[in-house]
């Protein structure tokens, strides 16, 4: 009975390729080489197209966030409050330093814009995930 090399992963095929007795099993060795070549051809094609098989099949991490979870709602509320706080006080405090609008307006506005964009994205995702949930029901 011959092994079904077609169902092997690339790592399993490499392991067989490195450990097979080529003289005792030349036809199996050639079959393993043939299947490894398929993986190589797929990798070359993906590199040419600029996509990775895993990247194309899996969604990005930021799309996987479930905005219906309570902790995501708490994070959004906290970010909203923090953004309002730094907007009204005119300073962003860190451990040993402080960014103020008077001392560094560009950096301060960058942080305001950055937190604003993230906040907008989070609120948008909350609204759209809520609408998806309503449409499912």
């Amino acid at each position: 009975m011959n092994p079904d090399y077609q169902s092997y992963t690339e790592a399993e095929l490499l392991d067989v390729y490195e450990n097979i007795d080529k003289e005792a099993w030349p036809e199996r060795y050639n079959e393993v080489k043939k299947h490894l070549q398929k993986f190589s051809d797929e990798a070359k094609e993906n590199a040419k197209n600029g996509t990775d098989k895993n990247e194309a099949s899996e969604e990005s991490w930021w799309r996987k966030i479930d905005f219906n979870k309570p902790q995501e709602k708490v994070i959004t509320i906290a970010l909203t409050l923090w953004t309002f706080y730094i907007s009204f006080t005119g300073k962003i405090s860190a451990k040993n330093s402080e960014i103020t609008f008077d001392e560094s307006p560009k950096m301060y506005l960058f942080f305001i814009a950055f937190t604003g964009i993230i906040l907008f994205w989070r609120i948008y995702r909350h609204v759209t995930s809520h609408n998806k949930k309503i449409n499912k029901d």
Side-chain angles (χ1 to χ4, degrees), residues 85-112:
Y85 173 77
I86 63 175
S87 297
F88 289 119
T89 60
K91 63 181 178 180
I92 302 169
S93 299
K95 278 187 175 181
N96 298 324
S97 64
E98 197 171 74
I99 299 172
T100 63
F101 181 76
D102 297 332
E103 293 176 8
S104 180
K106 287 181 183 178
M107 185 63 76
Y108 178 80
L109 292 174
F110 169 78
F111 275 104
I112 292 291

